Amino acid sequence: MPGENSSNFITDIIDVHNESARFAGRVHTRFPPEPNGYLHIGHAKSICLNFGIAERYGGLCNLRFDDTNPAKEEQEYIDAITEDVRWLGYQWQDRVYFASDYFDQLYDMAVELIRIGRAYVDELSPEQIREYRGTLNEPGRESPYRNRPVEENLALFEKMRAGGFQEGEAVLRAKIDMSSGNINMRDPVMYRILDTPHPRTGGKWKIYPMYDFAHGQSDSIEEITHSICTLEYEDHRPLYDWYLDNIEIYHPQQIEFARLNLSHTVLSKRKLIRLVEEGYVRGWDDPRLPTIAGLRRRGYTPAAIRDFCEEVGVGKVKGVVALHKLEYHIRQDLNKTAPRVMAVINPLKVVITNYPDDQAELMQAINNPEDESAGTRQVPFSKVLYIERDDFMEDPPRKFFRLAPGREVRLRYAYFIICTDVIKDADGNIVELRCTYDPATRGGAAPDGRRVKATLHWVSAPHAVQAEARLYDTLFSEEYPENDRDKDFTAFVNPDSLRVVDPIYVEPHVETAQPGDRFQFERLAYFVVDEEATAEKLVFNRTVTLRDQWRKAQRKGGQPAKRKRRRKAPQR
Ligand code: ATP
Ligand code: MG
């Protein structure tokens, strides 16, 4: 099981409850997704929080589908959510529930509120209800139907249930306070008519409870102790409490925390649906999306996502977390676990002129320098190789230490080579390098102790596996794509968020790789085999790049010198 959450303001509240035995020391949480889309990284935070807290206190956490709106909910989403929560590493044993399982009980509770004079059937139109509700500055007005006798309300509510009204003709409302400063308390709607079959209850119901009427009572029925939700529901808490107090049933504690926002993306199902339906991405599991399914296909691990959620923590202050924090955690994880292979994405052909034409050698390579138990493998070397085009410059600037004419570098696990000739096509483009190798440097070290400043990765051309690489960049080119008042967020979709390179050349070790297998392509990035890979053609998704070595070198070149000077300066 994944690790527990560390302390936060919610565990502080729970500790106080436990000291006063408010819930007899019990801790029982729930994760309550609405099955109207796929889960995203924000939901992961809620999942880690709810399941993590239960684990910390030796309590329980339920999975509850909040399926009160059949117009937007689908079985596909229920299945996807179930898979995603399980994939993240959490278990709910037999405690998977559906708000729709409680429709009969909720109906009875509504009848109870009518009986005690605290709910009524309103026949104002939806527009009128909105108009009568008032605004933040103006109190609402009471509906002319508000003071109907109990018997009439009971009969009309029964008529609503039996399908005697069309959609929009009647609603059941709680009778609270039309002048409340909290608009949620101005006679909120409890039930509306929806002539839509429900994925689970079919055509049984013509009326469906609103979120606020269903949620607290579902928590109560399941004997949840701490009902953790996001800050938007803070203003709903008085209503949450009002229903439970007036129905007079067991009363959990609602606690709100700040939802997770992430830079360079959007985290709202409404917006994610648009990206999917309007074709900006290839589906809910597109590796560019911040959905759990997308992150999984991108090569993220459950551990990296959980570590990220743990790092961002829980608080009451809204903010946006930088995407690089998420990337940091997947790098950390994959650095420890992903086997290394050599692959060339942007190839430049290298011919080793003094290497025998038909010879091939197997070079021993380390699978994972961070994990000795991962062992070694054999990588074929031959006369014709590919190196990365960026690893050669004909006229290198001062800080460029990689291959250049007349310069010696190391080919990882193989030999030292020197570039002797640069072959160009008629337009002056470099098409091939001629190099010589030093047979005495086999394995990558010179017996005379001479050193080189760069080690390059390479692939033997005749042995290489050709594959497709999908190189992803951020889905949005803006850090905060939702912040522009005049433009729709889709205006900021990054046109270069996916670049397909086909073929790339990979060492033959990957030949038997299966979808989901993760690798580090040395010096480039982490990759995962996509589910669209076939026996004939491997497809790799780039999970995350390594830090750019060239830029790092540039920075190093500039800074330490300055620091040195400062250190030498006399102390004052
Ligand atoms: P969205 O705005 O993405 O549609 P939602 O809140 O409508 O999200 P639900 O399915 O109702 O989606 O959410 C299930 C649970 O996940 C709720 O408890 C909700 O508060 C929580 N949750 C949703 N989005 C986030 C987020 N960005 N950060 C943390 N928790 C979230
Ligand atoms: Mg919701």
Side-chain angles (χ1 to χ4, degrees), residues 236-409:
H236 295 241
R237 179 157 27 101
L239 182 55
Y240 182 100
D241 293 338
W242 189 93
Y243 283 134
L244 296 172
D245 288 342
N246 283 275
I247 301 167
E248 296 187 5
I249 49 177
Y250 164 79
H251 198 143
Q253 175 70 53
Q254 177 179 306
I255 303 171
E256 310 85 14
F257 70 100
R259 65 195 292 125
L260 171 72
N261 296 301
L262 199 59
S263 75
H264 298 93
T265 193
V266 293
L267 288 188
S268 134
K269 278 182 276 180
R270 201 167 41 81
K271 289 179 178 159
L272 295 172
I273 281 186
R274 285 195 50 206
L275 292 171
V276 172
E277 288 184 349
E278 295 171 25
Y280 290 100
V281 295
R282 295 175 172 182
W284 280 105
D285 65 348
D286 189 298
R288 288 167 290 183
L289 286 180
T291 52
I292 312 267
L295 291 167
R296 176 167 59 233
R297 197 166 164 190
R298 177 84 172 246
Y300 273 74
T301 59
I305 294 175
R306 289 193 310 256
D307 289 350
F308 166 75
C309 292
E310 175 68 23
E311 189 208 331
V312 296
V314 236
K316 280 267 188 191
V317 183
K318 295 179 196 168
V320 184
V321 174
L323 184 61
H324 70 74
K325 288 211 173 168
L326 180 60
E327 294 184 340
Y328 166 83
H329 287 282
I330 187 62
R331 277 194 197 103
Q332 287 287 104
D333 192 7
L334 293 180
N335 180 44
K336 283 179 265 153
T337 56
R340 275 57 168 169
V341 293
M342 292 196 284
V344 171
I345 288 182
N346 187 11
L348 177 58
K349 188 175 168 187
V350 171
V351 177
I352 312 288
T353 50
N354 59 339
Y355 194 83
D357 281 352
D358 298 323
Q359 185 171 316
E361 285 174 86
L362 289 175
M363 302 298 184
Q364 176 159 303
I366 294 167
N367 285 333
N368 187 345
E370 303 288 321
D371 176 9
E372 217 176 300
S373 71
T376 60
R377 67 184 186 286
Q378 306 291 320
V379 187
F381 181 89
S382 70
K383 185 183 182 83
V384 183
L385 312 168
Y386 293 119
I387 65 164
E388 213 64 61
R389 205 161 258 279
D390 292 350
D391 280 336
F392 176 79
M393 281 181 102
E394 195 173 15
D395 186 17
R398 208 161 56 89
K399 294 274 152 49
F400 185 90
F401 299 120
R402 293 173 266 170
L403 197 59
R407 183 182 291 171
E408 187 166 45
V409 298

Side-chain angles (χ1 to χ4, degrees), residues 1-6 44-59 61 84-93 301-310 333:
M1 264 303 266
E4 306 161 354
N5 285 75
S6 46
K45 173 166 171 174
S46 176
I47 293 166
C48 293
L49 179 60
N50 279 295
F51 281 92
I53 281 184
E55 168 124 323
R56 176 186 170 103
Y57 289 95
C61 180
D84 289 348
V85 180
R86 191 171 288 137
W87 179 77
L88 278 175
Y90 296 102
Q91 279 154 35
W92 51 88
Q93 287 87 27
T301 59
I305 294 175
R306 289 193 310 256
D307 289 350
F308 166 75
C309 292
E310 175 68 23
D333 192 7

Side-chain angles (χ1 to χ4, degrees), residues 32-34 36 43 66 211 233 269:
E34 184 183 355
N36 61 349
H43 294 113
D66 193 355
Y211 170 86
Y233 291 98
K269 278 182 276 180

